[in-house]
Amino acid sequence: MNRIKNVLTITALATLLFGCARGTHIATGKKRPPLKPEDVILYQVQPSKFAFVGIVNSHSSGKGQMSMDASVQKLKAHAAKKGANGILIGNVDPGRESTSAGFASGSAFASSGGSYGSAVGGGSAFGVTSSGIYLSGKAIYVEP
């Protein structure tokens, strides 16, 4: 039983810390052939000449730099699929965390919407909820 509890706790913590990045895109401009995500450049200031390709969004369920990096990579992947070689960064929401504590009797493990907690043999449970990281931007094509 202890082994199952340990595996569940480690899995929950890994998911909480590293999360999974996912995202969406909307085509708004001329369709272009796909590019490699590593060829996509992030811009804070719009270049002098560019064409709009679409809108890209990304969400990572974790918090911290590793989750931010995963979210940025997903944003680049969506832009590259649409043939964009740049992203004008729009909304950046680094997320928020909250903690909670409670009491349980028996053995319990719960997971819901990024919140994880566990208690064994009666006692207290501790949970952390993270809203995750949200990024959005305008996928653009800048002539080389």
Side-chain angles (χ1 to χ4, degrees):
M1 188 60 151
N2 278 341
R3 182 172 181 197
I4 292 171
K5 181 189 85 147
N6 289 341
V7 169
L8 289 174
T9 301
I10 290 170
T11 303
L13 288 174
T15 302
L16 178 65
L17 291 175
F18 303 114
C20 296
R22 56 195 175 279
T24 59
H25 54 268
I26 301 169
T28 60
K30 179 182 175 186
K31 185 172 179 163
R32 297 181 177 278
L35 300 172
K36 294 185 227 167
E38 56 268 17
D39 294 336
V40 177
I41 298 170
L42 299 179
Y43 293 91
Q44 282 186 293
V45 178
Q46 86 182 31
S48 57
K49 286 188 169 188
F50 67 93
F52 285 108
V53 176
I55 299 168
V56 289
N57 299 291
S58 176
H59 173 255
S60 179
S61 60
K63 185 162 172 41
Q65 191 60 49
M66 288 176 59
S67 292
M68 180 65 79
D69 292 345
S71 209
V72 167
Q73 290 307 313
K74 193 54 151 176
L75 204 65
K76 286 182 172 188
H78 280 293
K81 279 183 191 176
K82 293 295 173 193
N85 63 0
I87 299 171
L88 281 171
I89 293 295
N91 185 42
V92 176
D93 181 353
R96 291 165 274 309
E97 276 188 353
S98 64
T99 57
S100 61
F103 297 96
S105 62
S107 178
F109 178 82
S111 169
S112 174
S115 180
Y116 302 94
S118 64
V120 176
S124 62
F126 181 74
V128 177
T129 301
S130 175
S131 65
I133 295 170
Y134 293 88
L135 301 177
S136 68
K138 296 175 182 173
I140 60 174
Y141 184 80
V142 180
E143 288 294 333

Coordinates of all heavy atoms in Angstrom, one line a residue, residues 25-29 40 50-56 75-76 78-80 82-89 136-142:
H25 N -4.7 27.6 -32.4 CA -4.4 28.6 -33.3 C -5.6 28.9 -34.2 O -6.5 28.0 -34.4 CB -3.2 28.2 -34.2 CG -3.3 26.9 -34.8 ND1 -2.9 25.7 -34.3 CD2 -3.9 26.5 -36.0 CE1 -3.1 24.7 -35.1 NE2 -3.7 25.1 -36.1
I26 N -5.7 30.1 -34.7 CA -6.7 30.5 -35.7 C -6.0 31.2 -36.9 O -5.2 32.1 -36.7 CB -7.6 31.6 -35.0 CG1 -8.3 31.0 -33.7 CG2 -8.7 32.1 -36.0 CD1 -9.0 32.1 -32.9
A27 N -6.3 30.7 -38.0 CA -5.8 31.3 -39.3 C -6.5 32.5 -39.6 O -7.8 32.5 -39.6 CB -5.9 30.3 -40.4
T28 N -5.8 33.6 -39.8 CA -6.5 34.9 -40.2 C -5.8 35.5 -41.4 O -6.4 36.5 -42.0 CB -6.3 35.9 -39.1 OG1 -5.0 36.2 -38.8 CG2 -7.0 35.4 -37.8
G29 N -4.7 34.9 -41.9 CA -4.1 35.5 -43.1 C -3.8 34.5 -44.1 O -4.4 33.4 -44.1
V40 N 11.0 30.1 -35.5 CA 10.0 31.1 -35.1 C 10.7 32.0 -34.0 O 11.2 31.6 -33.0 CB 8.7 30.5 -34.5 CG1 7.8 31.6 -34.1 CG2 8.1 29.6 -35.6
F50 N 5.6 43.1 -42.2 CA 5.3 41.7 -41.9 C 3.8 41.5 -42.4 O 3.1 42.4 -42.7 CB 5.3 41.4 -40.4 CG 4.3 42.2 -39.5 CD1 3.1 41.6 -39.2 CD2 4.6 43.5 -39.1 CE1 2.2 42.3 -38.5 CE2 3.7 44.2 -38.3 CZ 2.5 43.6 -38.0
A51 N 3.4 40.2 -42.4 CA 2.1 39.8 -42.8 C 1.5 39.0 -41.6 O 2.2 38.2 -41.1 CB 2.1 39.0 -44.1
F52 N 0.2 39.2 -41.3 CA -0.5 38.4 -40.3 C -0.8 37.1 -40.9 O -1.2 36.9 -42.0 CB -1.8 39.1 -39.8 CG -1.6 40.3 -38.9 CD1 -1.8 41.5 -39.4 CD2 -1.2 40.1 -37.6 CE1 -1.6 42.6 -38.6 CE2 -1.0 41.2 -36.8 CZ -1.2 42.4 -37.3
V53 N -0.5 36.0 -40.0 CA -0.8 34.7 -40.4 C -2.0 34.1 -39.6 O -2.8 33.4 -40.1 CB 0.4 33.8 -40.3 CG1 0.1 32.3 -40.6 CG2 1.5 34.3 -41.2
G54 N -2.0 34.5 -38.3 CA -3.0 34.0 -37.4 C -2.8 34.4 -36.0 O -2.0 35.2 -35.7
I55 N -3.6 33.8 -35.1 CA -3.5 34.0 -33.7 C -3.2 32.7 -33.0 O -3.8 31.7 -33.4 CB -4.9 34.5 -33.1 CG1 -5.3 35.8 -33.8 CG2 -4.9 34.7 -31.6 CD1 -6.7 36.3 -33.6
V56 N -2.3 32.7 -32.1 CA -1.9 31.5 -31.4 C -2.0 31.7 -29.9 O -1.8 32.8 -29.4 CB -0.4 31.1 -31.7 CG1 -0.3 30.6 -33.2 CG2 0.6 32.2 -31.5
L75 N 3.6 27.5 -28.3 CA 3.2 28.7 -29.1 C 3.9 28.7 -30.4 O 3.3 28.9 -31.5 CB 3.5 29.9 -28.2 CG 2.7 31.2 -28.5 CD1 1.2 31.0 -28.2 CD2 3.3 32.4 -27.7
K76 N 5.2 28.5 -30.3 CA 6.0 28.5 -31.6 C 5.6 27.3 -32.5 O 5.6 27.5 -33.7 CB 7.5 28.3 -31.2 CG 8.2 29.5 -30.6 CD 9.6 29.3 -30.4 CE 10.4 30.5 -30.0 NZ 11.8 30.3 -29.9
H78 N 2.6 26.0 -32.9 CA 1.4 26.4 -33.5 C 1.6 27.4 -34.6 O 1.0 27.3 -35.7 CB 0.4 26.9 -32.5 CG -0.3 25.8 -31.8 ND1 -1.2 24.9 -32.4 CD2 -0.3 25.4 -30.5 CE1 -1.7 24.1 -31.5 NE2 -1.1 24.3 -30.4
A79 N 2.5 28.4 -34.3 CA 2.8 29.4 -35.4 C 3.5 28.8 -36.6 O 3.1 29.1 -37.7 CB 3.7 30.5 -34.7
A80 N 4.4 27.9 -36.3 CA 5.2 27.2 -37.4 C 4.3 26.4 -38.3 O 4.4 26.3 -39.5 CB 6.3 26.3 -36.8
K82 N 1.3 27.0 -39.1 CA 0.6 28.0 -40.0 C 1.6 28.7 -41.0 O 1.2 29.5 -41.7 CB -0.1 29.0 -39.2 CG -1.3 28.4 -38.4 CD -2.3 27.8 -39.4 CE -3.4 27.0 -38.8 NZ -4.1 26.3 -39.8
G83 N 2.9 28.4 -40.9 CA 3.9 29.0 -41.8 C 4.4 30.4 -41.3 O 5.0 31.1 -42.0
A84 N 4.1 30.7 -40.0 CA 4.6 31.9 -39.4 C 6.1 31.8 -39.0 O 6.4 30.7 -38.4 CB 3.8 32.4 -38.3
N85 N 6.9 32.8 -39.2 CA 8.3 32.7 -38.7 C 8.5 33.7 -37.5 O 9.6 33.9 -37.1 CB 9.3 33.0 -39.8 CG 9.2 34.4 -40.4 OD1 8.3 35.2 -40.0 ND2 10.0 34.6 -41.4
G86 N 7.4 34.3 -37.0 CA 7.5 35.2 -35.9 C 6.2 35.2 -35.1 O 5.1 34.8 -35.6
I87 N 6.3 35.6 -33.9 CA 5.1 35.8 -33.0 C 5.2 37.2 -32.3 O 6.2 37.4 -31.7 CB 5.0 34.7 -31.9 CG1 4.8 33.4 -32.6 CG2 3.8 35.0 -31.0 CD1 4.9 32.2 -31.6
L88 N 4.2 38.0 -32.5 CA 4.1 39.3 -31.7 C 3.5 38.9 -30.4 O 2.3 38.5 -30.4 CB 3.2 40.3 -32.4 CG 3.9 41.1 -33.5 CD1 2.8 41.9 -34.3 CD2 5.0 42.0 -33.0
I89 N 4.2 38.9 -29.3 CA 3.7 38.5 -28.0 C 2.6 39.4 -27.6 O 2.7 40.6 -27.7 CB 4.8 38.5 -27.0 CG1 5.9 37.4 -27.3 CG2 4.3 38.2 -25.6 CD1 5.3 36.0 -27.2
S136 N -0.5 34.2 -25.4 CA -1.1 34.4 -26.7 C -0.3 35.4 -27.5 O 0.5 36.2 -26.9 CB -2.6 34.9 -26.5 OG -2.6 36.2 -26.0
G137 N -0.5 35.3 -28.8 CA 0.2 36.3 -29.7 C -0.3 36.2 -31.1 O -1.2 35.4 -31.4
K138 N 0.2 37.1 -31.9 CA -0.2 37.1 -33.3 C 0.9 36.5 -34.1 O 2.1 36.9 -34.0 CB -0.4 38.6 -33.8 CG -1.5 39.3 -33.1 CD -1.6 40.7 -33.5 CE -2.7 41.4 -32.7 NZ -2.8 42.8 -32.9
A139 N 0.6 35.4 -34.8 CA 1.5 34.7 -35.7 C 1.7 35.6 -36.9 O 0.8 36.0 -37.5 CB 1.0 33.3 -36.0
I140 N 3.0 35.9 -37.2 CA 3.3 36.7 -38.4 C 4.3 36.1 -39.3 O 5.1 35.2 -38.9 CB 3.8 38.1 -37.9 CG1 5.1 38.0 -37.1 CG2 2.7 38.8 -37.1 CD1 5.7 39.3 -36.7
Y141 N 4.4 36.6 -40.5 CA 5.5 36.2 -41.4 C 6.3 37.5 -41.7 O 5.8 38.5 -42.2 CB 5.0 35.6 -42.7 CG 6.1 35.1 -43.6 CD1 6.7 33.9 -43.3 CD2 6.6 35.8 -44.6 CE1 7.8 33.4 -44.1 CE2 7.6 35.4 -45.4 CZ 8.2 34.2 -45.1 OH 9.3 33.7 -45.9
V142 N 7.6 37.4 -41.4 CA 8.5 38.5 -41.7 C 9.4 38.1 -42.9 O 10.0 37.0 -42.8 CB 9.4 38.9 -40.5 CG1 10.3 40.0 -40.8 CG2 8.5 39.2 -39.3

